[in-house]
Amino acid sequence: MSRLDATETFDGITFPGHLHTQESLQLALRFPFQDTDIVIVSYPKSGTTWMQQMVTLISNKGDPHVSQTVPNWARAPWLEHHYSAALVDTLSRPRVITTHLPHHMLARALRGSKARVIYVSRNPKDVVVSFYHFHKMANFLPEAGSFQDFLNTFLEGTVHFGSWFDHIKGWTSQLGAMTNLLHVTYEEMSMDCQGSIVKVSSFLQCPLVEDEVNSCARHCSFSSMRDNSMINCTLIPHEILDHSKGSFMRRGKVGDWRNMFTEEQNEHFERVLMGKMQGCSVEFVWGDAAQR
Ligand code: A3P
């Protein structure tokens, strides 16, 4: 299946047809989660791959073997991708499943399930910059165009995978209601990787000793992941991901948006953010003045 130029519109959201079909999206909505499942949820470019690596390492007590021999899409497949149906059943327990779907699409499938859900979020200014650069290299995504155009589309919520604002509000609104939901930010992973590993491992009831935590941290550092072909996307053929146009493991920095945004773009973004995030009770680390 190539379908590099195809787009699937589902429930008002567009998805790359290279990875999604109407059937695969329908199947995701009815997915029979098991109570032992670990579900990594994120809006694209929020640190999904990083959390996949962290969870793999935690589950293996810091032993990097699996993370160095099995590609991330095979050990933690995306629920909504067309290849997942065949793959998910072959995973050993606990299964690690990844998804970019908004909460309202998965609410029914998750209702009553004890599956542990980890929601990863990131400063949307860094998300949009990372997503823009990824559009330049991913031949299954629309033309990136100018950064200003891309920023407008992102703020309108009409990029592939839908509105960042709806995604974050939908999932974080469940933080009180779902006891099996953990929120981890890219920024806290960046500022305190060890602390994030301990937080995630205790949520997964997989306690680690200090050496194991240190080993996890070593193998999920930016440099280690950049050099690991099982996680850095270099196994993806050039016609799908044009590696001459960028790297998946690009910068890995908090606040890289400052290198891209003009003062005017920042002011506009802040105005839209303030308006759209009204009613969202979660305090974000990236909301600190230091991150602005
Ligand atoms: P940048 O483009 O800003 O570098 P996702 O996995 O959700 O698609 O997110 C990809 C982003 O996470 C990229 O951001 C990538 O560099 C960053 N990333 C992945 N692993 C990381 C790590 N170990 N440390 C810091 N950033 C990481």
Side-chain angles (χ1 to χ4, degrees), residues 42-50 52 78 100 122 126 129-131 133 186 190 220-223 225 247-253 256:
S42 66
Y43 189 86
K45 315 318 287 177
S46 300
T48 325
T49 323
W50 197 359
Q52 288 174 325
W78 273 261
H100 287 319
R122 185 182 191 187
D126 284 333
V129 169
S130 180
F131 211 10
H133 288 290
Y186 181 99
S190 179
C220 70
S221 68
F222 184 81
S223 57
M225 285 179 58
S247 308
F248 176 80
M249 295 292 297
R250 194 182 60 90
R251 289 250 170 95
K253 293 270 182 257
D256 184 43

PDB file of all heavy atoms in Angstrom, residues 42-50 52 78 100 122 126 129-131 133 186 190 220-223 225 247-253 256, ligand 1:
ATOM      1  N   SER A  42      -1.048  10.633  21.824  1.00  0.00           N
ATOM      2  CA  SER A  42      -0.443  11.954  21.632  1.00  0.00           C
ATOM      3  C   SER A  42      -0.947  12.577  20.339  1.00  0.00           C
ATOM      4  O   SER A  42      -1.385  11.866  19.429  1.00  0.00           O
ATOM      5  CB  SER A  42       1.076  11.837  21.519  1.00  0.00           C
ATOM      6  OG  SER A  42       1.370  11.131  20.334  1.00  0.00           O
ATOM      7  N   TYR A  43      -0.850  13.891  20.269  1.00  0.00           N
ATOM      8  CA  TYR A  43      -0.960  14.591  18.997  1.00  0.00           C
ATOM      9  C   TYR A  43       0.417  14.437  18.335  1.00  0.00           C
ATOM     10  O   TYR A  43       1.445  14.447  19.037  1.00  0.00           O
ATOM     11  CB  TYR A  43      -1.285  16.071  19.255  1.00  0.00           C
ATOM     12  CG  TYR A  43      -1.630  16.815  18.004  1.00  0.00           C
ATOM     13  CD1 TYR A  43      -2.932  16.816  17.509  1.00  0.00           C
ATOM     14  CD2 TYR A  43      -0.647  17.508  17.294  1.00  0.00           C
ATOM     15  CE1 TYR A  43      -3.241  17.488  16.339  1.00  0.00           C
ATOM     16  CE2 TYR A  43      -0.957  18.180  16.120  1.00  0.00           C
ATOM     17  CZ  TYR A  43      -2.256  18.161  15.647  1.00  0.00           C
ATOM     18  OH  TYR A  43      -2.560  18.820  14.482  1.00  0.00           O
ATOM     19  N   PRO A  44       0.481  14.279  17.001  1.00  0.00           N
ATOM     20  CA  PRO A  44       1.793  14.093  16.366  1.00  0.00           C
ATOM     21  C   PRO A  44       2.802  15.173  16.783  1.00  0.00           C
ATOM     22  O   PRO A  44       2.440  16.323  17.007  1.00  0.00           O
ATOM     23  CB  PRO A  44       1.475  14.208  14.865  1.00  0.00           C
ATOM     24  CG  PRO A  44       0.044  13.816  14.754  1.00  0.00           C
ATOM     25  CD  PRO A  44      -0.617  14.266  16.026  1.00  0.00           C
ATOM     26  N   LYS A  45       4.037  14.753  16.869  1.00  0.00           N
ATOM     27  CA  LYS A  45       5.205  15.600  17.167  1.00  0.00           C
ATOM     28  C   LYS A  45       5.276  16.080  18.620  1.00  0.00           C
ATOM     29  O   LYS A  45       5.955  17.057  18.938  1.00  0.00           O
ATOM     30  CB  LYS A  45       5.292  16.832  16.229  1.00  0.00           C
ATOM     31  CG  LYS A  45       5.066  16.558  14.774  1.00  0.00           C
ATOM     32  CD  LYS A  45       5.738  15.314  14.270  1.00  0.00           C
ATOM     33  CE  LYS A  45       7.220  15.422  14.142  1.00  0.00           C
ATOM     34  NZ  LYS A  45       7.797  14.107  13.701  1.00  0.00           N
ATOM     35  N   SER A  46       4.592  15.354  19.486  1.00  0.00           N
ATOM     36  CA  SER A  46       4.563  15.740  20.900  1.00  0.00           C
ATOM     37  C   SER A  46       5.521  14.924  21.754  1.00  0.00           C
ATOM     38  O   SER A  46       5.601  15.130  22.971  1.00  0.00           O
ATOM     39  CB  SER A  46       3.147  15.567  21.446  1.00  0.00           C
ATOM     40  OG  SER A  46       2.244  16.364  20.736  1.00  0.00           O
ATOM     41  N   GLY A  47       6.218  13.964  21.141  1.00  0.00           N
ATOM     42  CA  GLY A  47       7.109  13.100  21.922  1.00  0.00           C
ATOM     43  C   GLY A  47       6.625  11.656  21.953  1.00  0.00           C
ATOM     44  O   GLY A  47       7.010  10.884  22.844  1.00  0.00           O
ATOM     45  N   THR A  48       5.823  11.299  20.975  1.00  0.00           N
ATOM     46  CA  THR A  48       5.261   9.941  20.873  1.00  0.00           C
ATOM     47  C   THR A  48       6.356   8.878  20.865  1.00  0.00           C
ATOM     48  O   THR A  48       6.334   7.919  21.645  1.00  0.00           O
ATOM     49  CB  THR A  48       4.493   9.813  19.524  1.00  0.00           C
ATOM     50  OG1 THR A  48       3.868  11.047  19.218  1.00  0.00           O
ATOM     51  CG2 THR A  48       3.508   8.670  19.555  1.00  0.00           C
ATOM     52  N   THR A  49       7.308   9.054  19.965  1.00  0.00           N
ATOM     53  CA  THR A  49       8.374   8.063  19.775  1.00  0.00           C
ATOM     54  C   THR A  49       9.234   7.960  21.028  1.00  0.00           C
ATOM     55  O   THR A  49       9.678   6.873  21.402  1.00  0.00           O
ATOM     56  CB  THR A  49       9.248   8.486  18.574  1.00  0.00           C
ATOM     57  OG1 THR A  49       8.398   9.047  17.587  1.00  0.00           O
ATOM     58  CG2 THR A  49      10.009   7.331  18.008  1.00  0.00           C
ATOM     59  N   TRP A  50       9.444   9.086  21.652  1.00  0.00           N
ATOM     60  CA  TRP A  50      10.221   9.131  22.892  1.00  0.00           C
ATOM     61  C   TRP A  50       9.523   8.295  23.966  1.00  0.00           C
ATOM     62  O   TRP A  50      10.153   7.503  24.676  1.00  0.00           O
ATOM     63  CB  TRP A  50      10.360  10.589  23.338  1.00  0.00           C
ATOM     64  CG  TRP A  50      11.426  10.878  24.327  1.00  0.00           C
ATOM     65  CD1 TRP A  50      12.286   9.975  24.905  1.00  0.00           C
ATOM     66  CD2 TRP A  50      11.761  12.159  24.869  1.00  0.00           C
ATOM     67  NE1 TRP A  50      13.125  10.630  25.773  1.00  0.00           N
ATOM     68  CE2 TRP A  50      12.830  11.964  25.768  1.00  0.00           C
ATOM     69  CE3 TRP A  50      11.268  13.453  24.671  1.00  0.00           C
ATOM     70  CZ2 TRP A  50      13.408  13.022  26.471  1.00  0.00           C
ATOM     71  CZ3 TRP A  50      11.843  14.505  25.365  1.00  0.00           C
ATOM     72  CH2 TRP A  50      12.899  14.291  26.258  1.00  0.00           C
ATOM     73  N   GLN A  52       7.346   5.897  23.398  1.00  0.00           N
ATOM     74  CA  GLN A  52       7.410   4.480  22.982  1.00  0.00           C
ATOM     75  C   GLN A  52       8.721   3.864  23.481  1.00  0.00           C
ATOM     76  O   GLN A  52       8.745   2.748  23.999  1.00  0.00           O
ATOM     77  CB  GLN A  52       7.351   4.362  21.456  1.00  0.00           C
ATOM     78  CG  GLN A  52       5.994   4.665  20.853  1.00  0.00           C
ATOM     79  CD  GLN A  52       6.052   4.661  19.319  1.00  0.00           C
ATOM     80  OE1 GLN A  52       7.047   5.066  18.727  1.00  0.00           O
ATOM     81  NE2 GLN A  52       4.977   4.226  18.693  1.00  0.00           N
ATOM     82  N   TRP A  78       0.643   1.719  15.875  1.00  0.00           N
ATOM     83  CA  TRP A  78      -0.433   2.700  15.918  1.00  0.00           C
ATOM     84  C   TRP A  78      -1.745   1.974  15.654  1.00  0.00           C
ATOM     85  O   TRP A  78      -1.919   1.341  14.592  1.00  0.00           O
ATOM     86  CB  TRP A  78      -0.208   3.786  14.871  1.00  0.00           C
ATOM     87  CG  TRP A  78       0.646   4.914  15.328  1.00  0.00           C
ATOM     88  CD1 TRP A  78       0.205   6.134  15.781  1.00  0.00           C
ATOM     89  CD2 TRP A  78       2.085   4.972  15.384  1.00  0.00           C
ATOM     90  NE1 TRP A  78       1.283   6.928  16.113  1.00  0.00           N
ATOM     91  CE2 TRP A  78       2.439   6.249  15.891  1.00  0.00           C
ATOM     92  CE3 TRP A  78       3.106   4.073  15.077  1.00  0.00           C
ATOM     93  CZ2 TRP A  78       3.757   6.647  16.071  1.00  0.00           C
ATOM     94  CZ3 TRP A  78       4.415   4.460  15.261  1.00  0.00           C
ATOM     95  CH2 TRP A  78       4.734   5.723  15.755  1.00  0.00           C
ATOM     96  N   HIS A 100      -2.862   8.392  17.727  1.00  0.00           N
ATOM     97  CA  HIS A 100      -2.970   9.859  17.628  1.00  0.00           C
ATOM     98  C   HIS A 100      -4.447  10.282  17.631  1.00  0.00           C
ATOM     99  O   HIS A 100      -4.743  11.456  17.393  1.00  0.00           O
ATOM    100  CB  HIS A 100      -2.335  10.357  16.327  1.00  0.00           C
ATOM    101  CG  HIS A 100      -0.824  10.303  16.305  1.00  0.00           C
ATOM    102  ND1 HIS A 100      -0.059  10.643  17.384  1.00  0.00           N
ATOM    103  CD2 HIS A 100       0.033   9.971  15.309  1.00  0.00           C
ATOM    104  CE1 HIS A 100       1.229  10.512  17.068  1.00  0.00           C
ATOM    105  NE2 HIS A 100       1.308  10.099  15.826  1.00  0.00           N
ATOM    106  N   ARG A 122       2.901  18.471  24.411  1.00  0.00           N
ATOM    107  CA  ARG A 122       4.071  19.327  24.211  1.00  0.00           C
ATOM    108  C   ARG A 122       3.593  20.738  23.899  1.00  0.00           C
ATOM    109  O   ARG A 122       2.494  20.912  23.322  1.00  0.00           O
ATOM    110  CB  ARG A 122       4.881  18.776  23.024  1.00  0.00           C
ATOM    111  CG  ARG A 122       6.188  19.484  22.755  1.00  0.00           C
ATOM    112  CD  ARG A 122       6.906  18.899  21.542  1.00  0.00           C
ATOM    113  NE  ARG A 122       8.267  19.395  21.419  1.00  0.00           N
ATOM    114  CZ  ARG A 122       9.066  19.147  20.390  1.00  0.00           C
ATOM    115  NH1 ARG A 122       8.656  18.375  19.388  1.00  0.00           N
ATOM    116  NH2 ARG A 122      10.281  19.647  20.358  1.00  0.00           N
ATOM    117  N   ASP A 126       6.157  24.416  19.789  1.00  0.00           N
ATOM    118  CA  ASP A 126       7.184  23.460  19.361  1.00  0.00           C
ATOM    119  C   ASP A 126       6.575  22.367  18.486  1.00  0.00           C
ATOM    120  O   ASP A 126       7.222  21.856  17.573  1.00  0.00           O
ATOM    121  CB  ASP A 126       7.895  22.847  20.579  1.00  0.00           C
ATOM    122  CG  ASP A 126       8.888  23.816  21.214  1.00  0.00           C
ATOM    123  OD1 ASP A 126       9.403  24.699  20.499  1.00  0.00           O
ATOM    124  OD2 ASP A 126       9.145  23.694  22.428  1.00  0.00           O
ATOM    125  N   VAL A 129       6.193  23.721  14.886  1.00  0.00           N
ATOM    126  CA  VAL A 129       7.491  23.825  14.192  1.00  0.00           C
ATOM    127  C   VAL A 129       7.982  22.432  13.795  1.00  0.00           C
ATOM    128  O   VAL A 129       8.409  22.198  12.656  1.00  0.00           O
ATOM    129  CB  VAL A 129       8.529  24.559  15.096  1.00  0.00           C
ATOM    130  CG1 VAL A 129       9.929  24.449  14.514  1.00  0.00           C
ATOM    131  CG2 VAL A 129       8.144  26.023  15.252  1.00  0.00           C
ATOM    132  N   SER A 130       7.892  21.489  14.705  1.00  0.00           N
ATOM    133  CA  SER A 130       8.328  20.118  14.427  1.00  0.00           C
ATOM    134  C   SER A 130       7.479  19.501  13.299  1.00  0.00           C
ATOM    135  O   SER A 130       7.994  18.859  12.383  1.00  0.00           O
ATOM    136  CB  SER A 130       8.194  19.292  15.710  1.00  0.00           C
ATOM    137  OG  SER A 130       8.600  17.971  15.508  1.00  0.00           O
ATOM    138  N   PHE A 131       6.177  19.762  13.358  1.00  0.00           N
ATOM    139  CA  PHE A 131       5.240  19.218  12.355  1.00  0.00           C
ATOM    140  C   PHE A 131       5.542  19.822  10.976  1.00  0.00           C
ATOM    141  O   PHE A 131       5.497  19.136   9.954  1.00  0.00           O
ATOM    142  CB  PHE A 131       3.813  19.554  12.801  1.00  0.00           C
ATOM    143  CG  PHE A 131       2.754  18.553  12.395  1.00  0.00           C
ATOM    144  CD1 PHE A 131       3.071  17.320  11.843  1.00  0.00           C
ATOM    145  CD2 PHE A 131       1.396  18.852  12.590  1.00  0.00           C
ATOM    146  CE1 PHE A 131       2.084  16.410  11.487  1.00  0.00           C
ATOM    147  CE2 PHE A 131       0.400  17.949  12.244  1.00  0.00           C
ATOM    148  CZ  PHE A 131       0.742  16.732  11.681  1.00  0.00           C
ATOM    149  N   HIS A 133       8.449  20.944   9.840  1.00  0.00           N
ATOM    150  CA  HIS A 133       9.659  20.322   9.284  1.00  0.00           C
ATOM    151  C   HIS A 133       9.379  18.886   8.846  1.00  0.00           C
ATOM    152  O   HIS A 133       9.914  18.432   7.830  1.00  0.00           O
ATOM    153  CB  HIS A 133      10.800  20.370  10.303  1.00  0.00           C
ATOM    154  CG  HIS A 133      11.351  21.755  10.481  1.00  0.00           C
ATOM    155  ND1 HIS A 133      12.082  22.394   9.501  1.00  0.00           N
ATOM    156  CD2 HIS A 133      11.244  22.637  11.503  1.00  0.00           C
ATOM    157  CE1 HIS A 133      12.413  23.606   9.910  1.00  0.00           C
ATOM    158  NE2 HIS A 133      11.918  23.772  11.127  1.00  0.00           N
ATOM    159  N   TYR A 186       6.274  16.592  27.253  1.00  0.00           N
ATOM    160  CA  TYR A 186       7.595  16.551  26.601  1.00  0.00           C
ATOM    161  C   TYR A 186       8.594  17.360  27.432  1.00  0.00           C
ATOM    162  O   TYR A 186       9.748  16.965  27.616  1.00  0.00           O
ATOM    163  CB  TYR A 186       7.453  17.157  25.202  1.00  0.00           C
ATOM    164  CG  TYR A 186       8.703  17.184  24.366  1.00  0.00           C
ATOM    165  CD1 TYR A 186       8.930  16.213  23.405  1.00  0.00           C
ATOM    166  CD2 TYR A 186       9.645  18.205  24.511  1.00  0.00           C
ATOM    167  CE1 TYR A 186      10.084  16.247  22.614  1.00  0.00           C
ATOM    168  CE2 TYR A 186      10.787  18.243  23.731  1.00  0.00           C
ATOM    169  CZ  TYR A 186      11.001  17.259  22.782  1.00  0.00           C
ATOM    170  OH  TYR A 186      12.135  17.295  22.010  1.00  0.00           O
ATOM    171  N   SER A 190      12.076  16.266  29.149  1.00  0.00           N
ATOM    172  CA  SER A 190      13.309  16.930  28.769  1.00  0.00           C
ATOM    173  C   SER A 190      14.051  17.467  29.997  1.00  0.00           C
ATOM    174  O   SER A 190      15.269  17.340  30.111  1.00  0.00           O
ATOM    175  CB  SER A 190      12.950  18.073  27.808  1.00  0.00           C
ATOM    176  OG  SER A 190      14.079  18.756  27.424  1.00  0.00           O
ATOM    177  N   CYS A 220      17.133   6.264  26.180  1.00  0.00           N
ATOM    178  CA  CYS A 220      16.105   7.117  25.559  1.00  0.00           C
ATOM    179  C   CYS A 220      16.573   8.567  25.491  1.00  0.00           C
ATOM    180  O   CYS A 220      15.762   9.469  25.290  1.00  0.00           O
ATOM    181  CB  CYS A 220      14.714   6.930  26.165  1.00  0.00           C
ATOM    182  SG  CYS A 220      14.470   7.527  27.792  1.00  0.00           S
ATOM    183  N   SER A 221      17.873   8.775  25.587  1.00  0.00           N
ATOM    184  CA  SER A 221      18.395  10.130  25.365  1.00  0.00           C
ATOM    185  C   SER A 221      18.281  10.461  23.872  1.00  0.00           C
ATOM    186  O   SER A 221      18.191   9.554  23.029  1.00  0.00           O
ATOM    187  CB  SER A 221      19.862  10.209  25.788  1.00  0.00           C
ATOM    188  OG  SER A 221      20.642   9.431  24.898  1.00  0.00           O
ATOM    189  N   PHE A 222      18.317  11.739  23.566  1.00  0.00           N
ATOM    190  CA  PHE A 222      18.187  12.157  22.161  1.00  0.00           C
ATOM    191  C   PHE A 222      19.295  11.522  21.310  1.00  0.00           C
ATOM    192  O   PHE A 222      19.028  10.969  20.238  1.00  0.00           O
ATOM    193  CB  PHE A 222      18.237  13.689  22.055  1.00  0.00           C
ATOM    194  CG  PHE A 222      18.013  14.188  20.656  1.00  0.00           C
ATOM    195  CD1 PHE A 222      16.733  14.307  20.143  1.00  0.00           C
ATOM    196  CD2 PHE A 222      19.091  14.514  19.838  1.00  0.00           C
ATOM    197  CE1 PHE A 222      16.526  14.749  18.839  1.00  0.00           C
ATOM    198  CE2 PHE A 222      18.890  14.956  18.536  1.00  0.00           C
ATOM    199  CZ  PHE A 222      17.601  15.075  18.042  1.00  0.00           C
ATOM    200  N   SER A 223      20.533  11.562  21.797  1.00  0.00           N
ATOM    201  CA  SER A 223      21.648  11.053  20.970  1.00  0.00           C
ATOM    202  C   SER A 223      21.542   9.546  20.767  1.00  0.00           C
ATOM    203  O   SER A 223      21.802   9.040  19.676  1.00  0.00           O
ATOM    204  CB  SER A 223      22.990  11.431  21.594  1.00  0.00           C
ATOM    205  OG  SER A 223      23.064  10.927  22.898  1.00  0.00           O
ATOM    206  N   MET A 225      18.748   7.729  20.768  1.00  0.00           N
ATOM    207  CA  MET A 225      17.634   7.455  19.847  1.00  0.00           C
ATOM    208  C   MET A 225      17.963   7.910  18.419  1.00  0.00           C
ATOM    209  O   MET A 225      17.575   7.264  17.452  1.00  0.00           O
ATOM    210  CB  MET A 225      16.357   8.135  20.354  1.00  0.00           C
ATOM    211  CG  MET A 225      15.748   7.413  21.549  1.00  0.00           C
ATOM    212  SD  MET A 225      14.265   8.207  22.187  1.00  0.00           S
ATOM    213  CE  MET A 225      13.183   8.211  20.770  1.00  0.00           C
ATOM    214  N   SER A 247      15.654  15.270   9.205  1.00  0.00           N
ATOM    215  CA  SER A 247      15.755  14.074  10.050  1.00  0.00           C
ATOM    216  C   SER A 247      14.533  14.005  10.939  1.00  0.00           C
ATOM    217  O   SER A 247      14.071  15.038  11.434  1.00  0.00           O
ATOM    218  CB  SER A 247      16.955  14.144  10.985  1.00  0.00           C
ATOM    219  OG  SER A 247      18.104  14.425  10.276  1.00  0.00           O
ATOM    220  N   PHE A 248      14.058  12.790  11.165  1.00  0.00           N
ATOM    221  CA  PHE A 248      12.952  12.619  12.106  1.00  0.00           C
ATOM    222  C   PHE A 248      13.410  13.081  13.493  1.00  0.00           C
ATOM    223  O   PHE A 248      12.717  13.831  14.172  1.00  0.00           O
ATOM    224  CB  PHE A 248      12.499  11.159  12.156  1.00  0.00           C
ATOM    225  CG  PHE A 248      11.442  10.940  13.185  1.00  0.00           C
ATOM    226  CD1 PHE A 248      10.123  11.257  12.921  1.00  0.00           C
ATOM    227  CD2 PHE A 248      11.771  10.478  14.458  1.00  0.00           C
ATOM    228  CE1 PHE A 248       9.142  11.109  13.902  1.00  0.00           C
ATOM    229  CE2 PHE A 248      10.808  10.331  15.435  1.00  0.00           C
ATOM    230  CZ  PHE A 248       9.491  10.639  15.159  1.00  0.00           C
ATOM    231  N   MET A 249      14.595  12.632  13.915  1.00  0.00           N
ATOM    232  CA  MET A 249      15.177  13.083  15.186  1.00  0.00           C
ATOM    233  C   MET A 249      15.869  14.413  14.861  1.00  0.00           C
ATOM    234  O   MET A 249      17.068  14.452  14.590  1.00  0.00           O
ATOM    235  CB  MET A 249      16.170  12.054  15.722  1.00  0.00           C
ATOM    236  CG  MET A 249      15.550  10.717  16.105  1.00  0.00           C
ATOM    237  SD  MET A 249      14.453  10.784  17.539  1.00  0.00           S
ATOM    238  CE  MET A 249      15.585  11.289  18.821  1.00  0.00           C
ATOM    239  N   ARG A 250      15.119  15.485  14.844  1.00  0.00           N
ATOM    240  CA  ARG A 250      15.569  16.752  14.273  1.00  0.00           C
ATOM    241  C   ARG A 250      16.406  17.552  15.270  1.00  0.00           C
ATOM    242  O   ARG A 250      17.616  17.632  15.151  1.00  0.00           O
ATOM    243  CB  ARG A 250      14.323  17.535  13.822  1.00  0.00           C
ATOM    244  CG  ARG A 250      14.566  18.706  12.917  1.00  0.00           C
ATOM    245  CD  ARG A 250      13.238  19.387  12.610  1.00  0.00           C
ATOM    246  NE  ARG A 250      12.585  19.856  13.828  1.00  0.00           N
ATOM    247  CZ  ARG A 250      12.760  21.052  14.370  1.00  0.00           C
ATOM    248  NH1 ARG A 250      13.539  21.930  13.769  1.00  0.00           N
ATOM    249  NH2 ARG A 250      12.130  21.397  15.480  1.00  0.00           N
ATOM    250  N   ARG A 251      15.782  18.152  16.269  1.00  0.00           N
ATOM    251  CA  ARG A 251      16.496  18.964  17.263  1.00  0.00           C
ATOM    252  C   ARG A 251      16.302  18.424  18.677  1.00  0.00           C
ATOM    253  O   ARG A 251      17.204  18.458  19.483  1.00  0.00           O
ATOM    254  CB  ARG A 251      15.982  20.408  17.249  1.00  0.00           C
ATOM    255  CG  ARG A 251      16.370  21.204  16.046  1.00  0.00           C
ATOM    256  CD  ARG A 251      17.399  22.280  16.448  1.00  0.00           C
ATOM    257  NE  ARG A 251      17.949  22.898  15.274  1.00  0.00           N
ATOM    258  CZ  ARG A 251      17.500  24.025  14.747  1.00  0.00           C
ATOM    259  NH1 ARG A 251      16.520  24.667  15.321  1.00  0.00           N
ATOM    260  NH2 ARG A 251      18.052  24.520  13.659  1.00  0.00           N
ATOM    261  N   GLY A 252      15.050  18.036  18.959  1.00  0.00           N
ATOM    262  CA  GLY A 252      14.767  17.500  20.293  1.00  0.00           C
ATOM    263  C   GLY A 252      14.922  18.525  21.402  1.00  0.00           C
ATOM    264  O   GLY A 252      15.376  18.205  22.497  1.00  0.00           O
ATOM    265  N   LYS A 253      14.523  19.761  21.126  1.00  0.00           N
ATOM    266  CA  LYS A 253      14.722  20.841  22.111  1.00  0.00           C
ATOM    267  C   LYS A 253      13.383  21.421  22.574  1.00  0.00           C
ATOM    268  O   LYS A 253      12.414  21.465  21.811  1.00  0.00           O
ATOM    269  CB  LYS A 253      15.516  21.993  21.482  1.00  0.00           C
ATOM    270  CG  LYS A 253      16.948  21.615  21.137  1.00  0.00           C
ATOM    271  CD  LYS A 253      17.864  21.898  22.312  1.00  0.00           C
ATOM    272  CE  LYS A 253      19.306  21.589  22.027  1.00  0.00           C
ATOM    273  NZ  LYS A 253      19.788  20.349  22.608  1.00  0.00           N
ATOM    274  N   ASP A 256      12.311  25.428  20.739  1.00  0.00           N
ATOM    275  CA  ASP A 256      12.902  25.643  19.408  1.00  0.00           C
ATOM    276  C   ASP A 256      12.034  26.583  18.555  1.00  0.00           C
ATOM    277  O   ASP A 256      12.502  27.151  17.569  1.00  0.00           O
ATOM    278  CB  ASP A 256      13.076  24.275  18.716  1.00  0.00           C
ATOM    279  CG  ASP A 256      13.779  24.386  17.378  1.00  0.00           C
ATOM    280  OD1 ASP A 256      14.777  25.137  17.308  1.00  0.00           O
ATOM    281  OD2 ASP A 256      13.320  23.766  16.403  1.00  0.00           O
TER     282      ASP A 256
HETATM  283  P1  A3P B   1      11.750  18.036  16.883  1.00  0.00           P
HETATM  284  O1  A3P B   1      11.233  17.999  15.484  1.00  0.00           O
HETATM  285  O2  A3P B   1      11.395  19.319  17.588  1.00  0.00           O
HETATM  286  O3  A3P B   1      13.199  17.722  16.992  1.00  0.00           O
HETATM  287  P2  A3P B   1       6.801  12.401  17.648  1.00  0.00           P
HETATM  288  O4  A3P B   1       7.523  11.186  18.044  1.00  0.00           O
HETATM  289  O5  A3P B   1       5.560  12.654  18.458  1.00  0.00           O
HETATM  290  O6  A3P B   1       6.557  12.459  16.171  1.00  0.00           O
HETATM  291  O7  A3P B   1       7.723  13.661  18.023  1.00  0.00           O
HETATM  292  C1  A3P B   1       8.926  13.902  17.325  1.00  0.00           C
HETATM  293  C2  A3P B   1       9.652  15.005  18.079  1.00  0.00           C
HETATM  294  O8  A3P B   1      10.172  14.454  19.305  1.00  0.00           O
HETATM  295  C3  A3P B   1      10.862  15.530  17.297  1.00  0.00           C
HETATM  296  O9  A3P B   1      10.990  16.899  17.710  1.00  0.00           O
HETATM  297  C4  A3P B   1      11.983  14.661  17.867  1.00  0.00           C
HETATM  298  O10 A3P B   1      13.269  15.205  17.681  1.00  0.00           O
HETATM  299  C5  A3P B   1      11.579  14.667  19.343  1.00  0.00           C
HETATM  300  N1  A3P B   1      12.209  13.585  20.118  1.00  0.00           N
HETATM  301  C6  A3P B   1      12.168  12.252  19.903  1.00  0.00           C
HETATM  302  N2  A3P B   1      12.930  11.603  20.800  1.00  0.00           N
HETATM  303  C7  A3P B   1      13.474  12.550  21.619  1.00  0.00           C
HETATM  304  C8  A3P B   1      14.383  12.515  22.726  1.00  0.00           C
HETATM  305  N3  A3P B   1      14.898  11.383  23.177  1.00  0.00           N
HETATM  306  N4  A3P B   1      14.716  13.684  23.300  1.00  0.00           N
HETATM  307  C9  A3P B   1      14.217  14.856  22.854  1.00  0.00           C
HETATM  308  N5  A3P B   1      13.365  14.958  21.799  1.00  0.00           N
HETATM  309  C10 A3P B   1      13.004  13.816  21.190  1.00  0.00           C
END
